[in-house]
């Protein structure tokens, strides 16, 4: 008696992301890759190609509702390469997703999936302005408060000071507060 064994594929394909979900300090100029666990096609059983893969990918700043990041994607085998059209924003969360509408050769649907990573912060903060006490407050015995505003949030370490010229004498205003923000307060 002859027998025939048939193996059914009931396992849905999966996708992995590079950079991985939660990864930090990712190069702003890096390409992103998606790796499917097996060959996938469009849910209408037509081929997934470099000409139509973009329709199944979402790339945005911050989150799923953020600013669209323009890109071009290509597929080779089970690997998708996403090439952003410009350098990604500095120190920003980038959301990448694969939408529904893909399946394996046995009609098992790929579940929509996403990842969020953070680009490297490679641009040093700069001082954008300094707010000084109002006229009339420069009286002996008064505490003078100066606010140094920066282009992004900064973390203060140590005991920074800023030099002040009072009359013809250089004095030091000491750091008072503001670490983690873009407004640092100094007092003299």
């Amino acid at each position: 008696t002859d027998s025939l064994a048939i193996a059914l594929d009931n396992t849905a394909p999966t996708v992995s992301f590079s950079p991985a979900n939660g990864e930090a300090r990712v190069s702003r100029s890096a390409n992103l890759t998606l790796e499917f666990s097996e060959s996938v096609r469009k849910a209408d059983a037509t081929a997934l190609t470099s000409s139509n893969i973009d329709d199944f990918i979402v790339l945005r700043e911050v989150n799923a509702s953020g600013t669209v990041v323009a890109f071009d994607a290509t597929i080779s085998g089970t690997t998708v390469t996403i090439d952003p059209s410009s350098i990604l924003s500095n120190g920003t969360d980038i959301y990448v997703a694969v939408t529904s509408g893909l399946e394996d050769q046995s009609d098992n649907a790929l579940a929509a999936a996403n990842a969020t990573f953070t680009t490297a912060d490679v641009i040093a903060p700069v001082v954008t302005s300094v707010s000084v006490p109002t006229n009339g407050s420069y009286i002996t015995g008064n505490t003078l408060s100066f606010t140094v505003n920066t282009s992004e949030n900064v973390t203060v370490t140590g005991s920074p000071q800023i030099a002040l010229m009072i009359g013809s004498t250089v004095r030091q205003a000491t750091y008072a507060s503001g670490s983690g923000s873009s407004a640092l307060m100094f007092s003299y």
Side-chain angles (χ1 to χ4, degrees):
T1 307
D2 291 333
S3 65
L4 176 64
I6 298 175
L8 296 178
D9 176 4
N10 293 322
T11 305
T14 59
V15 62
S16 59
F17 296 85
S18 179
N21 189 47
E23 193 168 334
R25 296 184 211 100
V26 173
S27 170
R28 296 172 54 215
S29 59
N31 283 340
L32 319 174
T33 58
L34 309 176
E35 187 67 40
F36 295 112
S37 60
E38 61 182 301
S39 180
V40 295
R41 64 185 181 195
K42 293 171 56 178
D44 65 4
T46 59
L48 188 60
T49 67
S50 294
S51 298
N52 60 27
I53 185 66
D54 290 17
D55 298 339
F56 298 93
I57 298 172
V58 176
L59 188 61
R60 295 179 177 260
E61 289 187 345
V62 184
N63 57 37
S65 301
T67 303
V68 171
V69 176
F71 68 91
D72 183 46
T74 56
I75 186 166
S76 178
T78 59
T79 303
V80 175
T81 302
I82 302 169
D83 181 15
S85 299
S86 60
I87 292 176
L88 298 172
S89 295
N90 188 60
T92 301
D93 286 345
I94 302 295
Y95 172 89
V96 59
V98 177
T99 63
S100 60
L102 301 176
E103 64 184 17
D104 67 11
Q105 303 308 312
S106 298
D107 300 330
N108 298 308
L110 173 77
N114 65 75
T116 301
F117 62 89
T118 305
T119 58
D121 184 353
V122 296
I123 300 174
V126 295
V127 173
T128 57
S129 65
V130 177
S131 300
V132 299
T134 60
N135 287 336
S137 60
Y138 294 84
I139 300 170
T140 301
N142 280 1
T143 298
L144 302 176
S145 295
F146 301 83
T147 303
V148 176
N149 297 296
T150 58
S151 58
E152 63 182 273
N153 292 346
V154 296
T155 300
V156 176
T157 59
S159 303
Q161 299 178 332
I162 55 174
L164 308 172
M165 181 66 73
I166 299 185
S168 60
T169 306
V170 175
R171 305 286 184 181
Q172 298 297 320
T174 57
Y175 170 73
S177 64
S179 184
S181 75
S182 62
L184 305 178
M185 181 73 68
F186 290 82
S187 297
Y188 171 77

